[in-house]
């Protein structure tokens, strides 16, 4: 078929699938509709649903093509007839909400008056106030609630509102509010957004990097189930609420894990999306409808969708609209128009919205322009929001999303409400302040208004009493981060005896050594149950699939089938209490689980120890922002970068071969990074990691690279523990003496190339080389920087010495470093090495090749290390340049070979 014919056929088909407005037999249609009404009236909605499903199935069997209808009309999901009465005092709650609104606005305005450009957001919270207040007054469970608290992911840019409520609840002082965005001010300040690192007793979850809140919330809800099913904690009463923006839904992370939530039937999870139709620059979907688009996406993924589009004042109009013309008009108008209505007069709305159909003009003829202008949106109507939340918490079997329509900058007056630049608005002029005060009835006098003071009613006022009375049975104030978790006793190093002694008859890779360590930990009586291995579909790559059978793969539905490998020693065993989290191919999801497991000590008081094992290339550069937020969250645990090294992961090529994750990892302040070569080094690092994180409660986590090259593991030499942990120790001193002395630092499998170079240097060139194992340049650097800074700030005192200076004191000669990472990694410590450190490394793109070719290509094999060593000696005048030239020839290193850095 020619392309234009294809298009034509498709168009015809599509036209045929569109619901037709031309009804050839209205009487018959009316009969069908009447029958449905009858069923609804006498048998209820369940029966109606059953019959409609039967009809649909029959039609499909008969070959009738039915279009997928992912959308419901652009009205509220919950009709007024199914609304529960509001349980509180709307009047007092409105007053409380207005005060929160005022203080949130005042916080930003005052901060920017004092310090122009300090920033902050008014319009986000202004649109979301009702969404939060209904939650605080009626739903959010605090940490002391029976059954435990809820986990709430507050939208980052709404933070002023959350602080303002904490102020009314007497949790934050006016001084705190005064120092919004001034964290270094005297007495401390408030961080711009939710950051547990900066406010560890307040915020639980960092959300401000758009998309991270939603995805981590989904995995938090799933991890809560994991804890329940594994008998580690009863989380059955706890819910996870995630508040997000409609613009934020464009982030792939926001919608990327929706199907997991539905598949896992996470009815403990509620998303509340503030659909104010705007993002930072302008409308989210000017030409479309974000609520409808999201409805389709969430419904398609299997979520329970509750739309809260219109406020109660629309109910009588919708009830009077027998012909469905109002709903049709609501469906027709696009978000760009709705945004405009928010900024226009009632007369404009009458003309442009209702005026399209004469019948609609009639429908609203009894309303004044002012009444039309005030017709509200669902997300600003407490009764509608309350009912949606209630329906969400009562819903069983799937997660719920609430799509609440609001106005961005609600209440900010002409300049701010619904305007495109409102997101950035940080100031209000006096006129706007007066308007704000009048609209929200804030008791501040004319004299004071220009000051924009914070306002809190007296302790014994109705508002303050009401506020406290509602929070008490809900388990106290939120957000709050309180760590009540028993410390774990770190295992004795002897637990890993076999790895330490390495009495093996065969060669092993560091990955295989790690598998042994993990197995010991999983089997440990004290610690075992807390270990959470997380793998994104790579267990076989890492040789860890034998763990499946022994410890089970977590599956909330158990295993409903017999796996094809059931008869083997290593079947794919799924179980409801399985310990391994097998995420499938999602690094973003896996790190989200890592965060949930690594913060369970704070969130749940359960000291789970996550080990997230992944392709090192697909870690920091793929999900670096989540890694950063793991640090912000004070996550504990081990990131294990497997198949590491640009030359060690042979064959895989450019996209897989990682020679830079250690550089990226070095940017995270609380991440301890290690690049070990031998099993015993790994054992020492993991043991000490558990000690520091889980016994001592230090705020750090670990990144360790593992390789798949098999070689002879060594038994642990005496006295190396400190060196392993601090980053450097002498592994094998030169066998003999010679005139020329050099030091070779090696990491990971490239350490073995330095050992081979040591032999070549001794045998062929009479150079004595000491080989050092460099396990962590980052640890060395931080220590050296710290000492250097201390010395600079205490010039009159005896200078301190860094570990590196101590360990290298008395050593002289030439220093070289080689690793499977970029030169910039060892270069981190050059400054503190006597005479500098000459780096060799894997700068440039990897390619598909075997190890030896790759190591020659990147000039990190023993021969190239030898050449580099001789070159450095020649530079210092210790040997003649001609010897280097001869070595190049002898060792077969091509002087004209391509530079891998550019290749
Ligand atoms: C990953 C990321 N990219 C960009 C931003 C900058 N940013 C902050 S708020 C915002 C717009 C938010 O719009 P929306 O999600 O609709 O929230 P609203 O304020 O409208 O409720 C943007 C782009 C960010 N915080 N995170
Ligand atoms: Mg928005």
């Amino acid at each position: 078929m020619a392309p234009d014919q294809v298009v034509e056929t498709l168009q015809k088909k599509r036209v045929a699938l569109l619901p037709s407005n031309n009804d050839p037999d209205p009487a018959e249609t009316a009969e069908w509709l009447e029958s449905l009404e009858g069923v609804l009236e006498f048998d209820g909605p369940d029966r109606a649903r059953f019959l409609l499903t039967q009809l649909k199935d029959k039609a499909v069997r008969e070959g009738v093509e039915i279009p997928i209808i992912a959308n419901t009309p652009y009205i509220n999901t919950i009709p007024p007839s199914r609304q529960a009465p509001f349980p509180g005092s709307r009047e007092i709650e409105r007053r409380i909400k207005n005060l929160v609104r005022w203080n949130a606005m005042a916080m930003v305005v005052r901060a920017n008056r004092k310090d122009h450009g300090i920033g902050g957001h008014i319009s986000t919270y202004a649109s979301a106030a009702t969404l939060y207040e209904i939650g605080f007054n009626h739903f959010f469970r605090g940490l002391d609630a029976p059954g435990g608290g809820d986990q709430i992911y507050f939208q980052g840019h709404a933070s002023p509102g959350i602080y303002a409520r904490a102020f009314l609840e007497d949790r934050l002082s006016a001084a705190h509010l005064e120092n919004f965005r001034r964290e270094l001010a005297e007495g401390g300040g408030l961080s711009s957004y939710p950051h547990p690192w900066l406010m560890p007793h307040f915020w639980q979850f960092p959300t401000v990097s758009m998309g991270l809140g939603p995805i981590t919330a989904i995995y938090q809800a799933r991890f809560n189930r994991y804890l329940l099913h594994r008998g580690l904690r009863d989380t059955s009463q706890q819910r996870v609420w995630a508040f997000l923006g409609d613009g934020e839904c464009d982030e792939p992370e926001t919608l990327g894990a929706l199907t997991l939530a539905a598949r896992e039937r996470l009815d403990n999870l509620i998303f509340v999306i503030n659909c104010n139709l705007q993002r930072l620059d302008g409308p989210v979907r000017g030409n479309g409808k974000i609520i409808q688009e999201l409805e389709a996406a969430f419904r398609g993924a299997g979520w329970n969708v509750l739309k809260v589009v219109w406020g109660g004042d629309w109910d009588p109009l919708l009830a009077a609209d027998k012909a469905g013309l109002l709903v049709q008009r609501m469906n027709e108008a696009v978000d760009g128009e709705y945004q405009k209505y928010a900024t226009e007069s009632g007369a404009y709305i009458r003309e442009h919205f209702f005026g399209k159909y004469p019948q609609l003009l009639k429908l609203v003829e009894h309303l004044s322009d002012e009444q039309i202008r005030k017709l509200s949106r669902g997300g600003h109507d407490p009764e509608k929001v309350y009912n949606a939340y209630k329906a969400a918490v009562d819903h069983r079997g799937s997660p719920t999303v609430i799509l609440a329509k609001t106005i961005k900058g609600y209440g900010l007056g002409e300049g701010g409400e619904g305007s495109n630049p409102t997101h950035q608005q940080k100031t209000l002029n006096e006129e706007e302040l007066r308007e704000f005060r009048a609209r929200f009835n804030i008791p501040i006098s004319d004299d004071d208004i220009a000051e924009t003071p914070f306002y809190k009613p007296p302790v014994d006022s109705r508002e303050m009493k009401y506020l406290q009375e509602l929070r008490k049975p809900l388990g106290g104030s939120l957000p709050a981060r309180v760590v009540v978790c028993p410390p774990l006793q770190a295992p004795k190093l002897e637990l890993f005896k076999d790895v330490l002694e390495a009495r093996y008859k065969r060669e092993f890779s560091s990955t295989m050594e790690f598998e042994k360590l993990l197995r010991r930990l999983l089997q440990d009586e004290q610690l075992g149950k807390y270990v959470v291995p997380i793998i994104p579909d790579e267990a076989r790559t890492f040789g860890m699939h034998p763990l499946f059978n022994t410890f089970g793969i977590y599956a909330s539905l158990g295993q409903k089938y017999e796996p094809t490998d059931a008869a083997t020693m290593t079947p794919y065993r799924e179980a409801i209490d399985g310990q391994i989290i097998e995420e499938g191919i999602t690094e973003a999801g896996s790190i989200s689980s890592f965060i949930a497991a690594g913060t369970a000590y704070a969130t749940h008081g359960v000291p789970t120890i996550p080990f997230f094992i992944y392709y090192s290339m697909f870690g920091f550069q793929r999900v670096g922002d989540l890694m950063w937020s793991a640090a912000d969250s004070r996550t504990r645990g081990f990131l294990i970068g497997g198949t590491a090294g640009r030359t060690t992961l042979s064959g895989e090529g450019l996209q897989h071969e990682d020679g830079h994750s250690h550089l990226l990892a070095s940017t995270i302040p609380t991440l301890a990074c290690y690049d070990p070569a031998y099993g015993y080094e790994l054992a020492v690092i993991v043991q000490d990691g558990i000690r520091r994180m889980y016994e001592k409660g230090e705020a750090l986590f670990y990144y360790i690279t593992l390789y798949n090259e098999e070689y002879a593991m060594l038994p642990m030499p005496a006295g190396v523990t400190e060196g392993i942990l601090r980053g450097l120790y002498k592994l094998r001193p030169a066998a003999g003496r010679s005139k020329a002395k050099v030091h070779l630092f090696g990491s990971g499998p490239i350490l073995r190339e330095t050992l081979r170079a040591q032999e070549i240097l001794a045998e062929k060139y009479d150079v004595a080389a000491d080989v050092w194992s460099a396990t962590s340049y980052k640890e060395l650097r931080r220590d050296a920087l710290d000492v250097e800074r201390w010395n600079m700030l205490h010039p009159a005192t005896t200078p301190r010495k860094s570990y590196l200076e101590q360990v290298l004191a008395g050593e002289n000669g030439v220093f070289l470093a080689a690793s499977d990472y970029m030169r910039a990694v060892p270069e981190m410590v050059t400054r503190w090495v006597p005479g500098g450190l000459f780096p060799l490394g894997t700068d440039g793109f990897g390619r598909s090749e075997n190890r030896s070719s790759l190591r020659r290509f990147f000039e990190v094999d023993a021969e190239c290390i030898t050449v580099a060593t001789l070159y450095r000696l020649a530079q210092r005048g210790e040997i003649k340049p001609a010897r280097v030239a001869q070595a190049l020839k002898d060792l077969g290193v091509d002087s004209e070979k391509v530079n891998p850095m550019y290749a």
Side-chain angles (χ1 to χ4, degrees):
M1 218 187 284
D4 47 351
Q5 270 178 299
V6 175
V7 172
E8 200 180 309
T9 318
L10 280 175
Q11 272 170 351
K12 268 195 203 139
K13 208 167 172 183
R14 186 149 345 125
V15 169
L17 290 177
L18 283 176
S20 169
N21 283 333
N22 297 330
D23 189 343
D25 190 348
E28 188 185 38
T29 311
E31 260 175 49
W32 280 73
L33 292 176
E34 261 169 44
S35 312
L36 180 63
E37 274 169 23
V39 172
L40 275 171
E41 188 176 343
F42 296 108
D43 303 317
D46 284 346
R47 175 74 185 148
R49 189 178 307 120
F50 176 79
L51 288 174
L52 288 170
T53 310
Q54 293 290 310
L55 276 177
K56 194 189 83 202
D57 289 355
K58 173 79 178 155
V60 170
R61 281 201 303 275
E62 298 299 332
V64 179
E65 272 191 68
I66 298 179
I68 297 168
I69 306 167
N71 278 122
T72 60
Y74 197 56
I75 52 173
N76 297 342
T77 308
I78 302 171
S81 58
R82 284 207 286 126
Q83 266 177 224
F86 193 74
S89 161
R90 279 193 61 172
E91 184 242 341
I92 302 185
E93 290 190 26
R94 184 181 313 119
R95 290 228 301 276
I96 294 170
K97 180 169 67 188
N98 290 346
L99 294 176
V100 180
R101 278 181 188 289
W102 172 267
N103 289 319
M105 177 275 294
M107 193 183 322
V108 179
V109 169
R110 289 174 71 89
N112 282 275
R113 268 192 208 147
K114 269 211 298 206
D115 205 322
H116 180 69
I118 202 84
H121 298 84
I122 307 176
S123 63
T124 299
Y125 181 74
S127 66
T130 302
L131 302 178
Y132 285 114
E133 280 300 299
I134 294 296
F136 277 121
N137 285 329
H138 303 284
F139 291 95
F140 299 161
R141 283 190 260 213
L143 302 186
D144 298 331
D150 291 345
Q151 284 99 53
I152 308 196
Y153 291 69
F154 294 97
Q155 194 186 351
H157 297 80
S159 61
I162 312 307
Y163 290 138
R165 182 165 236 269
F167 170 63
L168 285 194
E169 288 185 29
D170 264 338
R171 304 177 60 214
L172 295 176
S173 66
H176 285 122
L177 266 54
E178 196 67 32
N179 286 339
F180 174 55
R181 288 191 167 227
R182 292 293 315 277
E183 297 187 82
L184 303 178
E186 217 179 303
L190 301 178
S191 72
S192 50
Y193 304 116
H195 293 302
W197 181 260
L198 300 170
M199 294 176 64
H201 304 299
F202 194 84
W203 296 114
Q204 285 183 292
F205 310 107
T207 48
V208 79
S209 177
M210 314 235 117
L212 303 195
I215 192 169
T216 46
I218 288 175
Y219 283 86
Q220 178 68 55
R222 209 273 300 263
F223 190 71
N224 288 0
R225 286 283 162 81
Y226 173 94
L227 289 176
L228 177 73
H229 289 152
R230 291 207 21 85
L232 290 171
R233 162 146 184 140
D234 181 359
T235 56
S236 56
Q237 303 300 306
Q238 297 175 289
R239 291 191 194 92
V240 176
W241 299 75
F243 286 79
L244 42 146
D246 46 0
E248 184 172 9
C249 294
D250 284 341
E251 289 285 3
E253 288 88 349
T254 305
L255 305 184
L258 295 190
T259 51
L260 169 106
R263 195 161 62 244
E264 292 290 319
R265 303 178 187 178
L266 299 179
D267 52 18
N268 57 344
L269 173 67
I270 299 167
F271 270 22
V272 181
I273 307 187
N274 177 15
C275 297
N276 54 25
L277 315 185
Q278 289 178 239
R279 44 182 163 72
L280 193 151
D281 284 340
V284 179
R285 294 287 183 273
N287 297 314
K289 286 226 261 298
I290 188 63
I291 290 182
Q292 299 299 85
E293 187 179 321
L294 292 174
E295 176 185 37
F298 278 88
R299 271 166 65 110
W303 285 52
N304 174 41
V305 178
L306 300 173
K307 291 198 292 193
V308 186
V309 188
W310 308 108
D313 36 12
W314 289 86
D315 287 340
L317 299 178
L318 283 161
D321 171 41
K322 295 289 177 228
L325 211 52
L326 179 56
V327 178
Q328 186 179 323
R329 183 70 190 109
M330 288 168 162
N331 286 338
E332 280 166 4
V334 294
D335 283 357
E337 291 173 300
Y338 283 117
Q339 192 194 347
K340 183 129 175 85
Y341 301 146
T343 65
E344 287 289 349
S345 66
Y348 180 95
I349 300 168
R350 190 191 300 277
E351 183 189 341
H352 290 86
F353 180 74
F354 295 104
K356 181 158 182 199
Y357 302 111
Q359 297 95 314
L360 291 188
L361 278 178
K362 232 178 140 32
L363 191 70
V364 291
E365 68 185 356
H366 63 292
L367 298 179
S368 69
D369 285 351
E370 187 54 13
Q371 283 171 315
I372 286 183
R373 194 184 64 78
K374 281 190 165 162
L375 285 170
S376 64
R377 295 191 178 175
H380 296 303
D381 183 329
E383 223 160 315
K384 301 287 182 197
V385 174
Y386 171 80
N387 270 279
Y389 286 10
K390 185 173 177 333
V393 300
D394 290 344
H395 178 76
R396 292 288 169 271
S398 59
T400 292
V401 61
I402 292 164
L403 302 169
K405 184 167 167 166
T406 63
I407 292 174
K408 190 143 178 171
Y410 187 70
L412 297 186
E414 277 189 10
E417 212 169 75
S419 74
N420 276 333
T422 188
H423 187 84
Q424 306 287 67
Q425 188 174 351
K426 297 166 200 338
T427 50
L428 264 65
N429 62 32
E430 199 169 325
E431 185 50 38
E432 288 165 333
L433 287 170
R434 281 174 202 280
E435 243 179 67
F436 194 113
R437 177 190 62 176
R439 177 158 178 182
F440 296 116
N441 209 6
I442 311 293
I444 289 177
S445 70
D446 272 348
D447 288 348
D448 293 340
I449 189 83
E451 254 307 286
T452 331
F454 299 124
Y455 180 82
K456 184 158 37 173
V459 199
D460 56 355
S461 64
R462 282 171 68 209
E463 291 92 336
M464 297 295 267
K465 280 193 190 146
Y466 185 93
L467 190 89
Q468 300 290 355
E469 270 163 27
L470 286 191
R471 280 307 319 158
K472 228 174 272 156
L474 282 168
S477 292
L478 279 170
R481 185 179 178 279
V482 177
V483 179
V484 185
C485 186
L488 286 178
Q489 184 87 43
K492 295 256 178 316
L493 201 52
E494 289 77 69
L495 182 69
F496 311 120
K497 194 163 178 281
D498 50 343
V499 172
L500 299 176
E501 294 180 350
R503 290 177 210 242
Y504 306 134
K505 293 205 171 62
R506 53 163 288 194
E507 298 179 332
F508 285 106
S509 66
S510 58
T511 312
M512 291 160 149
E513 294 290 85
F514 171 73
E515 197 259 358
K516 291 177 205 157
L517 296 181
L518 188 60
R519 194 177 274 276
R520 295 287 168 281
L521 286 172
L522 284 160
Q523 286 164 336
D524 186 76
E525 221 173 293
Q526 308 295 324
L527 293 176
K529 62 181 175 186
Y530 294 119
V531 176
V532 183
I534 301 166
I535 308 179
D537 200 32
E538 292 288 354
R540 286 178 208 283
T541 312
F542 305 130
M544 288 180 190
H545 53 292
L547 299 177
F548 289 163
N549 191 32
T550 324
F551 302 101
I553 296 165
Y554 171 66
S556 57
L557 300 177
Q559 189 158 37
K560 295 174 162 185
Y561 62 95
E562 188 184 63
T564 56
D565 49 10
T568 68
M569 298 284 283
T570 57
Y572 193 86
R573 186 174 75 82
E574 302 193 68
I576 190 163
D577 61 350
Q579 190 158 3
I580 298 163
I581 298 187
E582 160 72 76
E583 289 295 10
I585 311 163
T586 165
E587 283 76 15
S590 304
I591 180 82
S592 299
S593 280
F594 177 78
I595 294 171
T599 54
Y601 72 94
T603 314
H604 292 294
V606 181
T608 37
I609 312 172
F611 286 84
F612 168 27
I613 306 128
Y614 58 94
Y615 250 111
S616 71
M617 190 67 155
F618 305 133
F620 291 93
Q621 75 174 16
R622 176 96 192 198
V623 289
D625 204 18
L626 278 156
M627 304 281 199
W628 184 259
S629 104
D632 188 350
S633 309
R634 297 171 171 262
T635 304
R636 296 174 183 167
F638 297 90
L639 297 169
I640 306 288
T643 52
R646 194 153 277 157
T647 69
T648 307
L649 178 58
S650 58
E652 289 286 329
L654 183 151
Q655 189 80 57
H656 284 67
E657 290 164 358
D658 163 37
H660 53 279
S661 66
H662 272 290
L663 207 53
L664 302 177
S666 76
T667 60
I668 298 185
T670 50
L671 190 62
C673 304
Y674 287 94
D675 189 15
Y678 294 111
Y680 68 83
E681 294 178 342
L682 199 55
V684 167
I685 296 161
V686 169
Q687 191 274 345
D688 194 59
I690 297 176
R691 184 189 66 81
R692 288 182 67 186
M693 293 186 287
Y694 291 89
E695 197 175 304
K696 299 285 168 221
E698 286 184 47
L700 82 165
F701 62 135
Y702 281 71
Y703 178 53
I704 306 173
T705 36
L706 297 182
Y707 300 81
N708 63 4
E709 183 177 3
E710 293 174 26
Y711 47 83
M713 287 291 150
L714 300 180
M716 180 155 105
V720 296
T721 320
E722 188 190 1
I724 293 171
L725 296 173
R726 302 196 74 170
L728 186 72
Y729 67 95
K730 197 180 280 187
L731 176 69
R732 189 183 291 168
R737 291 169 151 268
S738 74
K739 252 192 7 224
K741 181 68 197 274
V742 302
H743 300 271
L744 304 177
F745 295 179
S747 310
I750 301 301
L751 174 59
R752 295 176 63 254
E753 297 292 335
T754 59
L755 287 169
R756 204 153 66 76
Q758 181 186 44
E759 285 168 19
I760 301 174
L761 284 163
E763 283 166 18
K764 293 198 171 167
Y765 303 100
D766 190 28
V767 173
D770 286 355
V771 170
W772 302 67
S773 177
T775 49
S776 178
Y777 287 106
K778 184 178 177 189
E779 288 299 301
L780 292 174
R781 176 177 171 80
R782 283 159 64 90
D783 171 65
L785 285 173
D786 189 34
V787 167
E788 185 178 75
R789 174 181 172 277
W790 193 92
N791 289 341
M792 183 176 72
L793 296 177
H794 303 84
T797 344
T798 321
R800 292 178 178 175
K801 279 205 174 349
S802 67
Y803 173 74
L804 198 52
E805 286 167 307
Q806 289 170 39
V807 86
L808 296 184
E811 303 285 4
N812 46 46
V814 163
F815 290 83
L816 283 95
S819 80
D820 219 357
Y821 281 83
M822 291 170 66
R823 289 178 182 82
V825 176
E827 265 172 351
M828 288 199 257
V829 303
T830 305
R831 224 142 40 84
W832 299 280
V833 177
L837 182 66
F838 188 82
L840 297 168
T842 57
D843 298 61
F845 287 121
R847 57 245 297 121
S848 302
E849 251 305 344
N850 63 27
R851 279 184 197 124
S852 58
S853 303
L854 283 170
R855 286 176 185 168
R856 172 57 56 90
F857 177 73
F858 284 104
E859 298 156 24
V860 292
D861 62 358
E863 289 74 14
C864 291
I865 296 171
T866 305
V867 169
T869 308
L870 296 174
Y871 165 67
R872 289 293 282 169
L873 287 170
Q875 272 190 318
R876 286 167 43 125
E878 294 187 34
I879 62 171
K880 295 228 157 57
R883 285 198 75 194
V884 188
Q886 188 58 45
L888 277 162
K889 227 184 253 161
D890 293 347
L891 299 172
V893 178
D894 178 5
S895 307
E896 303 309 319
K897 78 184 270 300
V898 69
N899 185 348
M901 197 164 65
Y902 299 120

